[in-house]
Amino acid sequence: MSGRTFTAGSLHLGLDADERRRHADDILRLLAGRDQPWVVAGDFNEKADAPAWRTLAAGHEDVGAEHDQPTFPASAPRRRIDTVLIPRGWKVSVVSPSDIVGETDLIAATDHRPVVVDVVG
C-alpha cells in the first residue's frame, strides 16, 4: 500500500438490529465526508446478508466472504459475524489467526476469532 492514503476504522456494532442499522448509516455518513478510500473491520454482530452489514459493504469487498469461516464464538465458531471491508479492486491476503497466536491464547483473549488480512495493494 506504499503511497496510498486511506481511512481505516474499527467497529463493534450492537446486539439490537435497529441500532446496528442506524449506526451503519451514521458510519457511512462519516466516511462519505472523506476524500479517500476507506477500510473498516470489526464485529458486525449479524450475518453478511443482514441490513447493517449490507449497508456498510455496499461498494466494498467483504474479505471473509470467499472462505466464510465462522468467527463466533471463539471456542467453537459457528457464525461469521466479523469481517474486514476493503474498496473493490484492492487485493488482500487472508492470514490464518493460528499463524499468529496459539489456540489456547486465541480462545483466552476474546470471544471471537479474529479476521486477519494483509492489504497488498
Side-chain angles (χ1 to χ4, degrees), residues 41-64:
D43 175 358
F44 286 61
N45 264 320
E46 64 184 19
K47 293 182 178 183
D49 61 352
W53 191 312
R54 285 194 326 261
T55 295
L56 288 166
H60 280 68
E61 188 172 336
D62 173 359
V63 302

Side-chain angles (χ1 to χ4, degrees), residues 7-82:
T7 298
S10 175
L11 60 81
H12 183 195
L13 297 179
L15 296 176
D16 179 77
D18 290 335
E19 178 185 64
R20 287 193 303 271
R21 281 193 296 275
R22 283 194 315 274
H23 288 171
D25 290 339
D26 291 344
I27 291 164
L28 282 184
R29 271 194 296 281
L30 288 170
L31 293 169
R34 312 291 295 177
D35 289 335
Q36 57 198 28
W38 54 265
V39 173
V40 171
D43 175 358
F44 286 61
N45 264 320
E46 64 184 19
K47 293 182 178 183
D49 61 352
W53 191 312
R54 285 194 326 261
T55 295
L56 288 166
H60 280 68
E61 188 172 336
D62 173 359
V63 302
E66 181 179 338
H67 301 288
D68 200 28
Q69 293 295 316
T71 60
F72 182 80
S75 59
R78 291 180 302 282
R79 297 183 303 154
R80 183 173 76 95
I81 61 173
D82 306 272

